Amino acid sequence: SSGINPATMPHRLFVNDSGAWEFGPCPWDGRLVGSEETSPDPSFIGQVIKASFYYNNRLGLLSESNVIMSRARSVYNFFPESQLTTLDSDPIDLNCNSTRPVELIDVVPQPAGLVLFAGREQFYLSAPETGVLTPASTLVKGISNYECDYNISPLEAGTSIGFVSKMPDYTRLMLMEAQGLQAEPTVVEISKAVTGWMPGNVTMMATSPQNSFVILASRDTRDMYLYRFYNDGQEDKMQAWQRWRLPVNIQACNIVNDLMF
């Protein structure tokens, strides 16, 4: 078996040779050396892929409790180059071990590594000794135990990562500053001052690190909640919450080039 069925893998939207947009399967590389025993399938085969990312010249996928990264500089290849030895450029396939069941749902790349989010736990992936991700040097470790909403992706908000934790009747906004593998992250519930104010039906989040604000909104409602702050480079000097009521229901929100859509 070549190992990968392109029809059931992620697809791509790209500009073809004629300059037109085209949507279709990616040109995945199959198994070229060894067999299913000596060159096994990546762990996402037969499972559901939850998220994808690009980091350190590698394409990464999250599936169940595993994080899988392609060969270096060969983003469509998830098989080793040789069955006789392990090369630094070979794929990386790690399991996030924990005392509870783990299902990874999203990832936020950072300069020193990756912050991996599961529903009730967060992990950090990096190569602490060399700084370069290889099959031998890459480690993953649990760093915190906070609930994270499965349907709202964590986003960067300056030096922090914003993520949403929902209660039955209201929504919490959390900000995390990851400190790497060796130290626990700093996590603050930014919505503590307005506990119970934001409803529990929030479905989307957008951030603007340049303009220092975070948006939370609910699809098919008119209300948008904004957290705004001013940081002098060392600490937040000013924080404020606002609610905007739009003329019509919201379907989506995003910030691009200092413009809110």
Side-chain angles (χ1 to χ4, degrees):
S1 169
S2 64
I4 288 182
N5 178 7
T8 61
M9 287 289 288
H11 285 38
R12 63 175 180 167
L13 181 66
F14 65 102
V15 178
N16 58 26
D17 295 338
S18 62
W21 286 100
E22 183 177 336
F23 179 77
C26 299
W28 305 102
D29 294 316
R31 181 188 292 105
L32 299 180
V33 299
S35 64
E36 294 183 1
E37 294 182 359
T38 59
S39 178
D41 291 337
S43 56
F44 60 74
I45 297 296
Q47 306 294 336
V48 175
I49 294 173
K50 292 291 186 178
S52 63
F53 60 95
Y54 184 76
Y55 185 75
N56 222 284
N57 292 323
R58 297 174 184 265
L59 175 66
L61 302 173
L62 301 184
S63 179
E64 298 295 329
S65 60
N66 292 288
V67 52
I68 310 100
M69 303 181 74
S70 69
R71 272 200 223 170
R73 299 180 299 278
S74 183
V75 297
Y76 296 125
N77 197 329
F78 284 89
F79 291 96
E81 186 174 346
S82 170
Q83 63 172 330
L84 302 178
T85 183
T86 300
L87 305 177
D88 288 347
S89 60
D90 276 351
I92 298 169
D93 198 332
L94 296 175
N95 182 272
C96 297
N97 294 315
S98 179
T99 57
R100 66 183 73 181
V102 172
E103 183 181 355
L104 297 175
I105 56 177
D106 223 315
V107 55
V108 177
Q110 294 197 317
L114 301 170
V115 182
L116 307 170
F117 285 83
R120 294 189 176 184
E121 195 167 356
Q122 291 74 49
F123 301 85
Y124 198 84
L125 182 149
S126 69
E129 296 183 0
T130 64
V132 179
L133 300 183
T134 68
S137 66
T138 305
L139 301 174
V140 61
K141 177 184 176 183
I143 56 174
S144 60
N145 295 276
Y146 288 91
E147 292 189 2
C148 178
D149 188 84
Y150 279 81
N151 300 311
I152 302 176
S153 296
L155 297 173
E156 287 185 302
T159 58
S160 304
I161 300 172
F163 65 96
V164 170
S165 176
K166 286 188 178 180
M167 299 297 103
D169 298 325
Y170 63 93
T171 298
R172 292 172 173 169
L173 174 63
M174 319 290 288
L175 288 187
M176 169 192 287
E177 289 190 20
Q179 310 292 332
L181 287 172
Q182 308 304 324
E184 294 183 359
T186 302
V187 182
V188 179
E189 183 188 342
I190 295 300
S191 59
K192 191 74 172 179
V194 291
T195 299
W197 183 53
M198 285 185 295
N201 62 349
V202 169
T203 58
M204 65 190 84
M205 177 172 64
T207 62
S208 176
Q210 295 82 4
N211 296 291
S212 303
F213 70 86
V214 179
I215 293 175
L216 296 170
S218 302
R219 185 170 290 112
D220 296 327
T221 67
R222 296 168 54 193
D223 292 334
M224 176 181 289
Y225 299 85
L226 293 91
Y227 166 70
R228 305 189 69 180
F229 61 95
Y230 168 72
N231 190 292
D232 65 352
Q234 296 181 345
E235 61 179 349
D236 288 348
K237 293 292 187 180
M238 187 178 298
Q239 301 174 342
W241 280 94
Q242 301 174 340
R243 181 178 65 184
W244 290 0
R245 177 155 289 177
L246 278 67
V248 294
N249 289 346
I250 302 166
Q251 300 303 315
C253 65
N254 203 354
I255 298 102
V256 180
N257 294 333
D258 285 343
L259 294 175
M260 185 192 301
F261 293 89

